[in-house]
Amino acid sequence: MKITKSLQAWRDLRRDIDGSVGFVPTMGALHAGHAALIEQSVAENDVTVLSIYVNPTQFNNAEDLDNYPCTLEADLQLAKRLGVQHVLLPRYREIYPDGFRYRVEETEFSNTLCGAHRPGHFTGVLTVVMKLFNIVRPHRAYFGEKDFQQLTLIRDMVDAFFLDVDVIPVATVREEDGLALSSRNARLSQAARRKAPEFSRLLNDPRDDQSVARELTERGFAVDYVETKNGRRFGAVTMPCGTHDVRLIDNVAAG
Ligand code: PAF
């Protein structure tokens, strides 16, 4: 497995890659959800490229960015074990030579759900994914359904800009108790971790969105939204964990 930090060095390597390239973009702190993306890419492509880059432009909250978990050594071990051939660890100045003057902005769906609560978040996501697609030049790129709004916006961006990449959705991986895997789960207090599965359980509740939101609030979750759109119910909640809060998102097929 080759680890590359410089984009110039990567361009030279990319030129010599034959066959299909699968790409798994991440911000690190890899868990079994990422492993599922990597495994599918390894199974479907000749070469799998993993990027680990904590993208500052998608954080609208500086504290959230500062506290984003970093487990690089473990991430690299996992990637190697799963058969990744290339890991990219780019730096800010190479990803943003323009200082983020140029952006990819979607003007409708990105302003709803998570976008309504995290202004600018999806502009940061779409901009970095566009850059990474241009750098990696993958045939297929893998995204988890846990971030369903992100997945939809990226798929639509690929269509809108005629990008030559297949966006492959991968089902959400859950703990046995139903909690969707997320890098943020590591920051849950023990008490919050015990309570967190109530969130996904209530998203599956047949009552209407308002009733579910009310019940989550009664159970101590701070609810950003519970909203059914396009056949899915989306939710986001914040859980107080002593010194800090942890935000959880999830979505399920609406019955
Ligand atoms: O889902 C993520 O980890 C990030 O939003 C992504 C797609 C790697 C862009 O920074």
Side-chain angles (χ1 to χ4, degrees):
M1 185 174 83
K2 270 203 156 65
I3 300 170
T4 311
K5 292 184 178 166
S6 136
L7 291 189
Q8 188 48 56
W10 165 252
R11 274 188 208 103
D12 294 342
L13 289 169
R14 179 66 185 89
R15 220 168 287 128
D16 293 337
I17 296 177
D18 286 329
S20 60
V21 173
F23 178 40
V24 182
T26 77
M27 299 205 296
L30 303 186
H31 50 65
H34 296 109
L37 306 179
I38 295 171
E39 278 164 354
Q40 193 164 335
S41 175
V42 168
E44 294 178 353
N45 299 281
D46 298 313
V47 170
T48 288
V49 180
L50 172 80
S51 66
I52 300 179
Y53 177 65
V54 181
N55 173 38
T57 66
Q58 70 188 73
F59 287 83
N60 56 316
N61 174 331
E63 202 187 321
D64 196 20
L65 173 60
D66 289 345
N67 290 321
Y68 202 81
C70 172
T71 56
L72 185 59
E73 274 317 307
D75 293 352
L76 294 175
Q77 277 174 24
L78 179 73
K80 191 169 177 183
R81 187 157 51 76
L82 295 178
V84 168
Q85 280 91 348
H86 288 279
V87 180
L88 297 186
L89 302 175
R91 303 217 172 86
Y92 179 84
R93 61 176 184 279
E94 280 205 284
I95 292 284
Y96 290 101
D98 59 327
F100 196 40
R101 282 191 301 126
Y102 289 86
R103 300 171 185 200
V104 180
E105 191 185 0
E106 193 274 355
T107 54
E108 290 178 14
F109 190 43
S110 64
N111 296 324
T112 69
L113 304 172
C114 275
H117 294 266
R118 303 182 67 190
H121 168 66
F122 286 116
T123 298
V125 170
L126 293 178
T127 302
V128 81
V129 170
M130 174 72 96
K131 285 170 183 267
L132 291 168
F133 281 176
N134 287 331
I135 292 163
V136 175
R137 293 190 284 116
H139 298 88
R140 301 187 185 88
Y142 296 79
F143 294 90
E145 288 187 342
K146 185 183 79 70
D147 298 304
F148 204 90
Q149 190 178 10
Q150 165 175 286
L151 165 68
T152 306
L153 286 164
I154 291 170
R155 219 178 34 206
D156 290 355
M157 174 183 80
V158 162
D159 289 346
F161 290 97
F162 310 103
L163 303 182
D164 199 8
V165 52
D166 285 340
V167 172
I168 314 282
V170 179
T172 303
V173 179
R174 296 180 181 278
E175 302 279 8
E176 266 181 26
D177 59 14
L179 176 65
L181 292 196
S182 162
S183 305
R184 294 171 195 272
N185 294 354
R187 301 195 70 233
L188 289 167
S189 63
Q190 281 183 5
R193 173 64 191 84
R194 279 195 297 275
K195 198 180 170 60
E198 292 175 20
F199 171 43
S200 50
R201 196 172 51 69
L202 277 162
L203 282 185
N204 282 297
D205 188 297
R207 284 173 296 169
D208 64 19
D209 294 346
Q210 286 84 345
S211 308
V212 169
R214 202 174 317 117
E215 175 142 2
L216 282 165
T217 307
E218 280 163 15
R219 287 170 182 253
F221 293 88
V223 177
D224 273 0
Y225 60 83
V226 173
E227 223 175 303
T228 300
K229 262 184 194 300
N230 311 330
R232 293 198 84 78
R233 177 180 270 167
F234 297 85
V237 295
T238 300
M239 301 191 73
C241 295
T243 52
H244 60 278
D245 290 342
V246 175
R247 188 169 187 273
L248 302 177
I249 65 169
D250 202 349
N251 66 89
V252 298

